[in-house]
């Protein structure tokens, strides 16, 4: 730019001054030009020119305006350059992807028309501008400069750099973490383990994944041998293995990425036969069917043979042998008297042999007391019981005594260290003859006081007659009661009025039953108590009948209770 002061017609020729300003082509040199203009300004203000200052002042103002204009243009040019510089819109981030997923890393930029945007991983260049450099077919650019990697692999984890190629390169860094679902790659036993009983077992389960998975052990349809449902460890140890510890054990690896991984180990325990019996004593009767059962376990599967005493049994029309899994059954049809006795099942495999004994008995079952535990009276008690027997009961033996001091009554049972020994002594005396047991010096005798009680068959009812009992220390009193009339029902029973008892006291009783095949086992001790005061109902005895009369028995008890209630209301 040139500024020229033209000559005025009124000016003198000697004071004619010309000003020339040149604008350089390079804006960055405008500071030196400004200095040059200032020098010229100083020349104008020299003393030789003082006379013309008035005429020069307008030109100085023009010079100042030109300097300000140049500075403004310089600032505007610098601002435009800053505004158009390349820049990142995306920021550095950390991404997590699961193997198999598609990785997309953002790289949004601005003002990069004249610059190259590149992706790098380490020293390897993946893309430059819009050109893909890496030979990996999974890699490409999407939506501008966003980097896409299909089918993510664990090896894709690491840092990825998006860079703008300026003189001082600008870049952002994305960190990629690949999450790998769990995988079980090793089980020490190979999925199947066979050991002998008593051995120790150690099973290891190794798993991989990212993050590292947690490994737990469980057992299919059962708890672990230590009683827990799960064990958080990659090692499962089992000591002293037996058949109860065999089964399917499951190793599970879980890191919350995808689905948990699991693998099974079948533990097979080899052991000699082990036998248990369903019922050690089977009660039956002549002409009926009896079933004897042995539960047999063994690996390998044992062979089972049945014996009667020492004679091996074969399958016949009356002897049938069945096997269902571990349940081995001997069925005896139309039982004969000679069929009663001892039987045994013998199981044998390659590791050993086992034997269990069962008894087929025609004797009665153990009786069950069914009288209320508290008497209506202060000096007597009507005790009753029922018993199952395939053969008619011929007699009963009732034993009772006052409960010794120090015995605690729990329900209708006794909690005392000496109670079991006293009952065993009673049991040992059951082999004595009925004539010896009858009376036995107790002052008590059983008398028949009626028959059939209104025509009901199969009943028995007896009552003592006011004998005073002088109790000794822990003395048992025995009474033998003939079963008259004889009942042919399966459920049979008896009641007996015990007299001469002390008021408000606890007593215990046991009973045994005998049919043509012998005496039953002794019952558990039954505890009953006398009242502190008598009720008005006296000399009423409860009679028990066969199974067909059970309902009538219940109705009789109900009527008795109703009568007692009515009398109580009248007294009130």
């Amino acid at each position: 730019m040139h500024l020229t002061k033209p000559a005025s017609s009124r000016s003198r020729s000697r004071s004619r001054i010309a000003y020339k300003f040149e604008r350089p082509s390079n804006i960055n040199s405008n500071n030196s030009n400004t200095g040059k203009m200032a020098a010229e300004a100083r020349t104008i203000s020299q003393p030789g020119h003082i006379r013309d200052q008035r005429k020069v002042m307008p030109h100085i103002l023009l010079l100042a305006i030109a300097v300000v204009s140049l500075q403004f243009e310089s600032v505007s040019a610098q601002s435009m350059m800053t505004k158009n510089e390349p820049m990142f819109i995306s920021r550095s981030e950390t991404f997590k992807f699961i193997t198999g997923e598609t990785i997309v890393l953002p790289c949004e930029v601005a003002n990069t028309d004249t610059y190259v945007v590149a992706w790098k991983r380490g020293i390897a260049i993946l893309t430059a501008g819009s050109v893909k450099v890496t030979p990996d077919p999974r890699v490409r650019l999407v939506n501008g400069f966003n980097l896409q990697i299909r089918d993510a692999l664990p090896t894709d984890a690491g840092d990825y750099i998006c860079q703008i190629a300026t003189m001082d390169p600008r870049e952002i860094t994305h960190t990629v973490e690949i999450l790998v679902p769990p995988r079980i790659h090793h089980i020490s036993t190979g999925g199947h383990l066979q050991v002998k009983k008593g051995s120790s077992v150690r099973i290891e389960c190794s798993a991989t994944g990212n993050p590292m998975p947690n490994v737990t052990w469980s057992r299919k349809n059962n708890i672990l041998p230590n009683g827990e449902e799960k064990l958080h460890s990659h090692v499962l140890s089992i000591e002293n293995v037996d058949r109860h510890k065999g089964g399917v054990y499951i190793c599970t690896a879980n890191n919350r990425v995808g689905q948990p991984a699991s693998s099974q180990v079948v533990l097979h325990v080899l052991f000699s036969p082990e036998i248990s019996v369903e019922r050690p004593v089977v009660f039956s009767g002549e002409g009926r069917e009896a079933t004897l059962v042995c539960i047999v376990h063994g690996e390998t599967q044992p062979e089972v043979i049945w014996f009667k005493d020492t004679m091996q049994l074969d399958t016949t029309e009356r002897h049938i042998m069945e096997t269902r899994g571990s349940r081995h059954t001997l069925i005896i049809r139309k039982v004969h008297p000679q069929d009663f006795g001892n039987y045994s099942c013998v199981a044998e495999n390659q590791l050993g042999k086992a034997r269990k004994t069962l008894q087929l008995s025609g004797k009665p079952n153990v009786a069950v007391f069914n009288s209320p535990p508290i008497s209506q009276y202060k000096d007597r008690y009507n005790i009753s019981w029922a018993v199952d027997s395939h053969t008619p009961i011929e007699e009963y033996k009732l034993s009772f005594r006052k409960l010794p001091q120090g015995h605690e009554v729990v329900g209708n049972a006794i909690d005392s260290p000496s109670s079991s020994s006293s009952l065993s002594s009673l049991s040992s005396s059951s082999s004595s003859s009925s004539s010896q047991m009858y009376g036995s010096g107790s002052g008590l005798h059983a008398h028949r006081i009626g028959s059939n009680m209104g025509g009901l068959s199969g009943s028995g009812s007896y009552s003592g007659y006011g004998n005073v009992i002088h109790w000794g220390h822990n003395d048992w009193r025995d009474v033998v009661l003939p079963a008259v009339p004889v009942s042919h029902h399966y459920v049979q029973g008896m009641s007996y009025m015990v007299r001469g008892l002390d008021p408000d006291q606890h007593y215990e009783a046991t009973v045994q039953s005998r049919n043509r095949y012998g005496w039953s086992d002794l019952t558990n001790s039954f505890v009953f108590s006398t009242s502190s005061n008598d009720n008005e109902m006296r000399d009423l005895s409860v009679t028990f009948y066969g199974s067909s009369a059970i309902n009538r028995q219940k109705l009789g008890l109900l009527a008795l209770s109703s009568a007692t209630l009515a009398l109580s209301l009248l007294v009130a």
Side-chain angles (χ1 to χ4, degrees):
M1 177 177 63
H2 299 278
L3 296 178
T4 304
K5 174 65 176 173
S8 174
S9 60
R10 296 164 52 183
S11 65
R12 300 174 184 176
S13 60
R14 61 180 178 180
S15 61
R16 180 177 166 180
I17 302 173
Y19 301 97
K20 183 178 180 182
F21 297 93
E22 294 182 357
R23 179 181 178 186
S25 60
N26 188 350
I27 295 177
N28 292 332
S29 64
N30 100 67
N31 289 336
S32 62
N33 292 335
T34 303
K36 185 176 181 181
M37 293 176 187
E40 292 181 0
R42 284 195 299 273
T43 302
I44 295 172
S45 62
Q46 291 300 320
H49 300 285
I50 293 175
R51 294 188 304 266
D52 300 315
Q53 284 183 357
R54 294 178 182 177
K55 299 193 181 269
V56 173
M57 285 300 295
H59 302 290
I60 295 174
L61 291 174
L62 290 172
L63 177 62
I65 292 171
V67 171
V68 172
S69 177
L70 288 173
Q71 290 179 342
F72 177 77
E73 290 181 10
S74 175
V75 171
S76 297
Q78 290 178 356
S79 175
M80 289 296 294
M81 290 180 64
T82 303
K83 184 176 181 181
N84 296 324
E85 285 183 353
M87 58 184 295
F88 286 103
I89 298 174
S90 302
R91 296 290 180 264
S92 298
E93 294 184 62
T94 297
F95 296 92
K96 294 182 179 181
F97 298 95
I98 299 176
T99 53
E101 291 184 341
T102 298
I103 300 172
V104 177
L105 302 179
C107 184
E108 296 185 28
V109 294
N111 305 329
T112 58
D113 293 341
T114 58
Y115 299 92
V116 175
V117 178
W119 277 99
K120 299 191 304 180
R121 184 184 180 195
I123 62 173
I125 298 176
L126 304 179
T127 66
S130 60
V131 178
K132 189 181 83 166
V133 178
T134 177
D136 191 339
R138 302 177 301 131
V139 177
R140 67 170 181 163
L141 293 174
V142 294
N143 300 328
F145 294 104
N146 296 332
L147 184 67
Q148 182 189 84
I149 306 174
R150 300 189 311 272
D151 302 325
L153 300 173
T155 54
D156 293 329
D159 292 338
Y160 292 78
I161 300 171
C162 183
Q163 184 182 84
I164 302 175
T166 58
M167 290 296 293
D168 184 12
R170 302 179 184 187
E171 59 187 34
I172 60 173
T173 302
H174 292 317
T175 300
V176 173
E177 181 179 348
I178 302 298
L179 303 179
V180 182
R183 185 176 69 89
I184 296 174
H185 64 85
H186 174 70
I187 289 189
S188 58
T189 62
H192 192 276
L193 184 60
Q194 186 170 279
V195 297
K196 288 186 177 182
K197 178 181 177 181
S199 303
S200 296
V201 172
R202 176 185 171 89
I203 311 173
E204 294 186 12
C205 178
S206 301
T208 58
N210 185 37
M212 184 60 68
N214 294 320
V215 177
T216 58
W217 283 98
S218 59
R219 191 176 178 189
K220 186 176 182 180
N221 301 327
N222 210 332
I223 60 174
L224 294 172
N226 62 2
E228 301 291 335
E229 290 188 359
K230 288 186 178 181
L231 173 67
H232 294 272
S233 173
H234 71 284
V235 176
L236 174 66
S237 296
I238 306 175
E239 303 294 333
N240 193 23
V241 174
D242 57 23
R243 70 179 179 89
H244 301 290
K245 297 177 182 178
V248 178
Y249 291 83
I250 303 171
C251 170
T252 303
N254 188 8
N255 63 357
R256 301 185 183 276
V257 178
Q259 295 297 320
S262 63
S263 185
Q264 294 186 162
V265 176
V266 179
L267 179 60
H268 197 70
V269 182
L270 302 176
F271 59 98
S272 60
E274 297 176 1
I275 305 176
S276 60
V277 296
E278 200 167 79
R279 288 180 296 166
V281 180
V282 177
F283 296 96
S284 188
E286 291 184 39
R288 300 182 179 273
E289 182 175 283
T291 302
L292 285 69
V293 179
C294 283
I295 310 298
V296 181
H297 297 277
E299 287 294 342
T300 57
Q301 185 65 35
E303 180 186 0
V304 176
I305 302 174
W306 286 94
F307 289 85
K308 168 72 165 67
D309 296 325
T310 59
M311 181 180 67
Q312 180 177 339
L313 298 177
D314 296 322
T315 300
T316 64
E317 183 178 342
R318 288 200 316 112
H319 293 164
I320 301 172
M321 301 172 195
E322 295 180 349
T323 300
R324 292 183 180 178
S326 59
R327 194 173 192 267
H328 296 261
T329 305
L330 171 63
I331 301 174
I332 303 174
R333 293 179 175 174
K334 296 180 181 180
V335 172
H336 294 173
Q338 61 269 25
D339 291 328
F340 295 117
N342 293 324
Y343 290 79
S344 59
C345 55
V346 177
E348 183 176 5
N349 65 8
Q350 297 173 350
L351 299 177
K353 179 189 291 188
R355 175 191 294 266
K356 277 288 184 178
T357 301
L358 306 86
Q359 182 183 4
L360 178 60
S361 175
K363 298 177 182 179
N365 280 265
V366 177
V368 177
F369 289 98
N370 50 23
S371 52
I374 300 177
S375 175
Q376 301 180 47
Y377 314 105
K378 65 180 180 180
D379 59 353
R380 64 192 120 165
Y381 177 69
N382 193 357
I383 190 169
S384 60
W385 61 88
V387 61
D388 296 341
S389 177
H390 292 278
T391 304
I393 301 295
E394 296 180 357
E395 62 179 350
Y396 301 96
K397 176 191 174 184
L398 173 67
S399 302
F400 57 93
R401 68 170 179 173
K402 183 187 292 186
L403 197 62
Q405 294 294 328
H407 288 64
E408 181 180 356
V409 179
V410 181
N412 292 108
I414 302 173
D415 185 13
S416 170
S418 62
S419 61
S420 60
S421 61
S422 61
L423 289 178
S424 62
S425 64
L426 271 178
S427 179
S428 63
S429 67
S430 63
S431 60
S432 59
S433 66
S434 61
S435 61
Q436 292 172 324
M437 289 186 291
Y438 190 81
S440 67
S442 65
L444 290 178
H445 299 277
H447 299 274
R448 182 180 178 188
I449 61 172
S451 63
N452 293 350
M453 293 292 292
L456 297 178
S457 63
S459 66
S461 177
Y462 296 89
S463 176
Y465 283 86
N467 297 302
V468 178
I469 304 174
H470 301 285
W471 297 95
H473 182 65
N474 292 348
D475 285 345
W476 284 94
R477 304 303 180 191
D478 299 332
V479 181
V480 174
L481 305 171
V484 180
V486 173
S487 171
H488 294 276
H489 295 287
Y490 177 64
V491 180
Q492 304 171 48
M494 175 66 68
S495 67
Y496 177 73
M497 181 68 77
V498 183
R499 298 179 180 274
L501 305 177
D502 294 334
D504 197 20
Q505 294 294 319
H506 294 295
Y507 295 85
E508 63 175 319
T510 63
V511 71
Q512 284 179 283
S513 313
R514 185 180 67 81
N515 63 14
R516 59 180 291 192
Y517 294 107
W519 286 95
S520 70
D521 290 336
L522 202 64
T523 63
N524 291 327
S525 183
F526 172 75
V527 178
F528 64 90
S529 305
T530 53
S531 300
S532 56
N533 295 301
D534 267 347
N535 294 323
E536 292 300 320
M537 302 295 293
R538 291 184 175 272
D539 297 328
L540 291 177
S541 59
V542 181
T543 303
F544 288 86
Y545 307 98
S547 57
S548 63
I550 292 298
N551 290 333
R552 282 173 286 182
Q553 168 198 338
K554 292 180 180 178
L555 290 173
L557 288 174
L558 180 61
L560 179 63
S561 300
S562 300
T564 304
L565 177 61
L567 285 175
S568 299
L569 291 174
L570 288 173
V571 171

